[in-house]
């Protein structure tokens, strides 16, 4: 079924009886060409591009719970491509370009909203760094504009530009950045993948890998053995937990990142603002809630909930630049588990086990990467060569000394 | 989270800085045959378990001691706290 304005009117007039499920709840078959582990944004995108772009078939996505129940349902929905380094920026710009055509491509309303993202500047040194980053973005085909404090105040008159410690001295804007309805990304990819014949198998947890003579020939699951020529792990947040079953240790620590939503307000915040120096960023959802977050808690965790010191820290950051927040009540908060990698950048690569492929290490930047991650991982699976925008995301970059460390923090995952 | 410091008693985890897996105490022997591979593993590979995890915490806002804390990464429950110095001595890492 194709969604359209005409279809909406027709269904409205006929009692909404003709919609039907958006995807099949498939039963596992005994054998596939490709099995993708993880029915989140990245796994479903991988399946979709594998089927559509690379014209592969006999594809399954296995998910231990329900699709979209992991980090694609637990993020702050921001898209952007404001990176500095060569290994990253072309990839994230490719992702942003895919976001721009996503809804037409999937025939699904994912509420992609290019409302713009603004990184605030507080010092001369930070301005120099942001000018450099903006130039790197422009050189890679992205958009970037340096704004003065006056230009910022025109759009965000409520910002406290005279904070004693962090006065706002300008900002780096990416007008093509914005937000997307996160759940709709999972559902849109699921529906589109299903229409290309992909089996989406829910409530099917991987319990082990069948590996003989260095080759992986399938997965053991709670719903039986599923054989496959190529097995693709796409479970960021649980990567170490899964890959341990294949005997692998990863350059990853799992950390919890908290996020918050306020009660619904009338439109107040037209774009996304980030206050990196104070560990706070914020946007307003279409329902009216202010969606905001800050840093990871900083210790290994699989708990999907954090602790109060970070809540206090994030709210202090918010109050420093956005004082009207003080009148707003917090509605909900949650934690998501991040694959924090050793250099703050992801991995899309083959493993040393034939037939087993890995996608993970997204730190807290996985949501914006969803389309490009799926596209690049599908490229790797179909062709056994890395996609041109993802050539740097290799396992061996740590041993080779080719880290992609945007912040220059070194091998300390909780600092990225 | 509260960390029951062996000499100071229960302290708020916010006073501490987190370093990572306690195996970082065991720096590889630089003269070993496979020292390069050992250092790559030491620097970049982690077990990252869900469940009990022995990890290093630094009491930056306190007595500046290093602790080895055994904590469950699923429940955040802390079951054991030792001075890292004692652990290192027990493992023959320092005198």
């Amino acid at each position: 079924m194709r969604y359209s304005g005409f279809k909406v009117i027709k269904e409205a007039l006929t009692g909404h009886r003709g919609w039907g499920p958006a995807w099949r709840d498939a039963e596992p078959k005994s054998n596939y060409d490709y099995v993708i582990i993880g029915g989140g944004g990245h796994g479903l995108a991988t399946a979709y591009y594998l089927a559509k772009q690379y014209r592969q078939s006999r594809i399954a996505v296995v998910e231990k719970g329900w699709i979209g129940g992991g980090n694609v349902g637990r993020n702050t929905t921001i898209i952007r491509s404001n990176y500095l380094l060569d290994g990253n920026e072309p990839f994230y710009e490719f992702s942003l370009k895919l976001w721009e055509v996503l809804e037409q491509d999937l025939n699904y309303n994912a509420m992609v909203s290019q409302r713009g993202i603004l990184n605030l500047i507080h010092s001369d040194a930070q301005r120099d760094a942001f000018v450099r980053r903006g130039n790197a973005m422009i050189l890679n085909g992205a958009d970037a504009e340096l704004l003065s404090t006056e230009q910022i105040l025109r759009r965000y008159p409520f910002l406290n530009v005279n904070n004693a410690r962090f006065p706002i001295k300008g900002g780096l804007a990416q007008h093509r950045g914005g937000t997307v309805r996160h759940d709709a990304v999972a559902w849109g990819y699921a529906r589109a993948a299903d229409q290309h014949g992909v089996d989406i198998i829910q409530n099917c947890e991987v319990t082990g890998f069948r590996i003989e003579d260095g080759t992986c020939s399938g997965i053991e699951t709670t719903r039986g053995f599923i054989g496959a020529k190529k097995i693709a792990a796409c479970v960021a947040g649980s990567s170490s937990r899964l890959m341990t079953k294949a005997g692998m240790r990863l350059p990853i620590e799992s950390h919890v990142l908290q996020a918050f939503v306020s009660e619904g307000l009338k439109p107040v915040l037209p774009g996304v603002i980030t206050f990196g120096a104070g560990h706070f960023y914020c946007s307003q959802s279409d329902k009216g809630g202010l969606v905001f977050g800050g840093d990871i808690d900083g210790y290994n965790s699989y708990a999907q909930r954090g602790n109060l010191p970070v809540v206090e820290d994030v709210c202090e950051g918010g109050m420093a630049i956005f004082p009207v927040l003080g009148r707003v009540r917090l509605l909900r908060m949650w934690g998501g588990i991040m694959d924090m990698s050793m250099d703050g950048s992801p991995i899309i690569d083959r493993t040393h086990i034939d037939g087993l492929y890995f996608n993970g290490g997204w730190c807290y930047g996985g949501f914006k990467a969803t389309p490009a991650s799926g596209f690049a991982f599908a490229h790797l699976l179909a062709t056994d060569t890395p996609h041109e925008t993802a050539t740097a995301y290799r396992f061996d970059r740590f041993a080779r000394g080719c880290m992609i460390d945007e912040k220059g923090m070194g091998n300390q995952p909780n600092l990225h | 989270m509260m960390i029951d410091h062996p000499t100071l008693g229960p302290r708020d985890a916010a006073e501490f800085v987190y370093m990572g897996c306690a195996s970082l105490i065991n720096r590889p022997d630089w003269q070993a045959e496979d020292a390069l591979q050992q250092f790559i593993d030491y620097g970049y590979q982690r077990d990252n378990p869900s469940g009990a995890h022995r990890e290093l915490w630094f009491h930056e806002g306190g007595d500046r001691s290093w602790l080895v804390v055994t904590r469950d990464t699923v429940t955040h429950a802390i079951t054991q706290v030792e001075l890292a110095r004692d652990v290192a001595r027990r493992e023959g890492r320092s005198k």
Side-chain angles (χ1 to χ4, degrees), chain A residues 4 38 44 71 100 104 111 205 221 224 227 303 318 327 372 414:
Chain A
S4 65
L44 293 164
N71 287 337
E100 287 172 330
Q104 291 72 26
M111 296 164 69
E205 182 169 359
T221 77
R327 304 292 294 274
N414 63 347

Side-chain angles (χ1 to χ4, degrees), chain A residues 237 239-241 244 249-256 297-303 305-307 309 339 342 398-400 403 411-414, chain B residues 1 12-14 17-21 23-24 36-37 40-51 53 55 57 71-76:
Chain A
S239 291
S240 296
R241 238 185 326 200
T244 301
R249 292 172 86 213
L250 300 177
I252 286 170
E253 286 180 4
S254 294
H255 284 261
V256 60
D297 272 36
Y299 44 81
N300 285 36
S301 177
Y302 285 95
R305 60 186 165 75
N307 277 294
D339 269 13
M342 287 289 162
F398 304 101
R400 287 186 292 116
M403 273 69 82
N411 58 342
Q412 187 66 37
N414 63 347
Chain B
M1 287 190 296
D12 191 330
V17 172
Y18 180 82
M19 178 74 187
C21 182
S23 66
L24 291 171
L36 178 61
Q37 189 56 46
I40 290 168
D41 289 348
Y42 174 81
Y44 299 110
Q45 302 290 95
R46 296 290 182 266
D47 288 336
N48 193 23
S50 67
H53 187 227
E55 55 202 20
W57 291 74
R71 188 180 56 94
D72 191 307
T73 57
V74 179
T75 64
H76 295 164

Side-chain angles (χ1 to χ4, degrees), chain A residues 30-315:
Chain A
S30 62
N31 212 281
Y32 290 94
D33 283 356
Y34 300 91
V35 167
I36 295 155
I37 304 167
H42 291 225
L44 293 164
T46 301
Y48 169 68
Y49 291 115
L50 200 50
K52 192 219 170 203
Q53 192 71 27
Y54 295 96
R55 304 196 174 281
Q56 302 298 304
S57 55
R58 295 181 11 94
I59 303 165
V61 176
V62 299
E63 164 57 47
K64 72 177 174 190
W66 57 88
I67 61 164
N71 287 337
V72 75
R74 308 180 76 85
N75 55 75
T76 47
T77 79
I78 294 164
I79 59 170
R80 58 185 173 88
S81 67
N82 50 1
Y83 284 73
L84 171 70
L85 299 179
D86 286 342
N88 276 334
E89 180 57 16
F91 175 83
Y92 287 103
E93 177 54 21
F94 176 52
S95 200
L96 194 51
K97 287 197 169 74
L98 289 173
W99 282 119
E100 287 172 330
V101 297
L102 181 85
E103 294 166 304
Q104 291 72 26
D105 192 26
L106 299 182
N107 176 230
Y108 202 86
N109 180 13
M111 296 164 69
V112 176
S113 165
Q114 293 184 288
R115 56 185 70 182
I117 182 165
L118 174 68
N119 302 148
L120 298 173
I121 294 170
H122 312 282
S123 67
D124 288 347
Q126 202 178 15
R127 180 185 285 107
D128 290 346
F130 278 23
V131 166
R132 182 177 175 219
R133 195 197 315 172
N135 285 335
M137 290 161 66
I138 291 165
L139 285 170
N140 282 293
D143 66 305
E145 187 188 356
L146 198 68
L147 301 184
S148 68
T149 309
E150 292 69 36
Q151 286 172 301
I152 290 170
L153 280 174
R154 237 171 277 148
R155 192 161 193 223
Y156 301 106
F158 47 79
L159 285 181
N160 175 14
V161 296
N162 296 316
N163 181 281
R165 176 65 183 85
F166 294 112
I168 294 170
K169 297 293 188 187
L172 181 68
Q174 183 176 31
H175 301 299
R176 289 164 57 244
T179 59
V180 180
R181 169 87 172 95
H182 55 157
D183 295 320
V185 175
W187 301 334
Y189 273 122
R191 172 172 170 272
D194 178 79
Q195 286 174 345
H196 282 87
V198 172
D199 279 359
I200 296 169
I201 304 160
Q202 302 181 95
N203 299 308
C204 180
E205 182 169 359
V206 174
T207 56
F209 294 90
R210 189 172 289 180
I211 299 167
E212 284 156 354
D213 301 327
T215 302
C216 187
S217 58
I219 51 173
E220 306 287 351
T221 77
T222 49
R223 296 176 72 174
F225 176 77
I226 303 173
K229 290 179 187 152
K230 292 183 178 178
I231 291 125
C234 226
V235 299
S238 299
S239 291
S240 296
R241 238 185 326 200
L242 176 68
M243 301 313 279
T244 301
K245 300 183 204 295
M248 287 180 69
R249 292 172 86 213
L250 300 177
I252 286 170
E253 286 180 4
S254 294
H255 284 261
V256 60
L257 176 66
Q258 301 189 67
F260 310 86
V261 177
S262 77
E263 59 190 329
L265 307 172
K266 292 200 171 175
V268 55
L269 185 60
V272 184
I273 50 171
T274 78
F275 172 34
H279 315 298
F280 173 83
Y281 63 92
C282 191
S283 65
Q284 187 169 20
S285 78
D286 291 315
K287 275 198 295 190
L290 294 171
V291 183
F292 59 98
D295 269 351
I296 56 175
D297 272 36
Y299 44 81
N300 285 36
S301 177
Y302 285 95
Q304 289 195 322
R305 60 186 165 75
N307 277 294
L308 292 170
V310 168
V311 179
E312 189 177 24
D313 184 58
V314 170
C315 292

Side-chain angles (χ1 to χ4, degrees), chain A residues 353-398:
Chain A
I353 299 162
D354 280 345
L356 183 58
Y357 297 74
F358 179 80
N359 174 324
W362 290 99
C363 300
Y364 38 76
F367 179 72
K368 76 177 98 66
T370 304
S373 167
F375 203 110
F377 202 26
H379 182 98
L380 176 69
L381 288 165
T383 67
D384 269 310
T385 55
H387 186 263
E388 60 179 351
T389 63
T391 54
Y393 296 151
R394 308 296 301 273
F395 269 116
D396 66 356
R397 69 175 184 263
F398 304 101

